[in-house]
Amino acid sequence: MSSIIDFFDTVVVFAPKFIPGVIATLQLAFFSILIGTVIGLFVAVVKLANKKPLTFVMNIYITIIRGTPLLLQLWFIFYGLPGMGIEIDRFPSAVIGLALHNGAYISEIFRGAIESIHYGQREAARSLGMTRGQALKRVVLPQAFRRSIPALGNQFIIAVKDSSLASVITITETMLLARQFVAATFDVFPIFFVAASYYLVITMGLAKLLQKLETKLKVGVR
Amino acid sequence: MSMIEIKNLHKYFGDLEVLKGIDLKIEESDVVCLIGASGSGKSTLLRCINYLEKKTEGEIWIDGKPVDETEDGINKIRQEVGMVFQRFNLFPHMTVAENVMEGPVTVKNMDKTEARKLALDLLEKVGIADKADVYPEMLSGGQQQRVAIARSLAMEPKVILFDEPTSALDPELVGEVLKVMKDLAQEGMTMIVVTHEMGFAKEVADRVIFLHDGMIAEEGPPKEIFENPKHERLQAFLGEILA
Ligand SMILES: Nc1ncnc2c1ncn2[C@@H]1O[C@H](COP(=O)(O)OP(=O)(O)OP(=O)(O)O)[C@@H](O)[C@H]1O
Ligand SMILES: [Mg+2]
């Protein structure tokens, strides 16, 4: 009985102390998702333009990102690049690393969704006199975007959780705080419980948001 | 001056020669029906005319000028040469009216209010003004195809190409689409129609062209083509179609 009371005491004491870390987690997630989505869209569109050298460069990017651990990528940017004279602050380093990582996966999501749009859609658009760009923007991308939301949502949730790796380059986000609090108090269970709860609230909120967006965009589409 | 003039058109897909030297003149207000067996190159010929396929050799003149085959030139030509597809290809994320407005607004920078008015007029003309604000998925195939015709008319094209516009439709819906096409023909629209609707061809076409193996095997007024076919492949083809 007293251990349950202790548990709740610790939870109540530490929950507010996590706030700065949770804010950092939200910032990391927000920027890395936003920039990662822009990168992903750019890479997908460039690849679909079918220009050999550009596609080649994009494929190298995707291969490297997908073929190496995110942990290593973050280390490389923050600790490795300064050795080559490129120094980036800690927070931007983390955002760049996470965004590049997300971008590679998101580009594949977009590419798949764009390719799944029937070629007749593009032909109908072009035969009205639209340029390639107009057909893409007005006809293909809106449909592809809606189709990619489930996979995109998945990736966004992974991005939130992956932001915890920013703790390895000493960014004070949720996970780093959790480890610091545990080191100071040895109250492992309640502290990790609080951290886990915060992550769950964020990821569930995000899932809900995406579901709303999907329903909103579903209009008219089988 | 012909509306469309095609000279010695060849089209290869890899090593496969699909069009083997087509010569064709189409005058303003002509309605030309293109018939032929599956694989004879009917769609390819239509698609070469608005450059959805890149021809391998030959010349295409539209409205008295050789087509400017730059990216911009082709986009211009496509504004003048509308296309209606077998599978309608309406934009599912836009309402019926938005589908019709899309060309004028995006390509011609038409003001939205004006474009909406144009769209409603055209939808009236094809008989589905009451569906202006629903999404295409709510419509029957025949209604969707009529929207597609309105969408193409919105660009005020000089010619419309129809690639089997009724062959994806349930039989009871074919008539309403053919009726719209017939009205267009009577208003003087220049049309090239790939179709297996021999009744439509007989009634509406000024000329019927029989494509066989990538070449024009026979052409003439519908009466002659249907009642007195000379080419043995045409005789066999008509035998099958009318059977
Ligand atoms: N994109 C393509 N790549 C390779 N071959 C093609 C392509 N499009 C058409 N073909 C071939 O060209 C030939 C003519 O095709 P086309 O679609 O023009 O025939 P069609 O007369 O319209 O036939 P159908 O009545 O079946 O529509 C066929 O042998 C077809 O397989
Ligand atoms: Mg065809």
Side-chain angles (χ1 to χ4, degrees), chain A residues 120-121 123 126-127 138 220, chain B residues 47 78 89-90 92-93 102:
Chain A
Q121 290 290 307
E123 289 192 343
R126 296 305 304 276
S127 70
R138 300 287 309 167
Chain B
R47 293 163 57 82
R78 288 182 178 145
N89 298 346
L90 292 180
H93 58 302
E102 185 57 27

Side-chain angles (χ1 to χ4, degrees), chain A residues 118-132 134 138-140 142-143 218-222, chain B residues 47 50 52 71 75 78-79 81 83 85 89-94 102-103 106-107 135 137 144 151-152 155:
Chain A
H118 193 265
Y119 66 86
Q121 290 290 307
R122 202 182 300 252
E123 289 192 343
R126 296 305 304 276
S127 70
L128 290 171
M130 286 192 209
T131 62
R132 257 176 232 282
Q134 287 171 330
R138 300 287 309 167
V139 173
V140 177
Q143 296 181 59
K218 206 168 208 147
V219 67
V221 184
R222 276 151 282 240
Chain B
R47 293 163 57 82
N50 78 346
L52 281 181
E71 188 84 20
N75 289 336
R78 288 182 178 145
Q79 298 179 38
V81 182
M83 179 121 180
F85 301 87
N89 298 346
L90 292 180
F91 307 133
H93 58 302
M94 299 180 192
E102 185 57 27
T106 301
V107 179
Y135 285 87
E137 68 162 348
Q144 290 194 41
R151 176 175 69 180
S152 135
M155 294 303 291

Side-chain angles (χ1 to χ4, degrees), chain B residues 12 27-28 31 51 65 109 137 172 209 230 237 242:
Chain B
Y12 286 80
E27 306 304 325
E28 190 171 348
V31 176
Y51 289 78
K65 298 177 292 283
N109 283 319
E137 68 162 348
E172 75 272 18
I209 292 176
K230 294 181 192 67
F237 176 77
L242 302 174

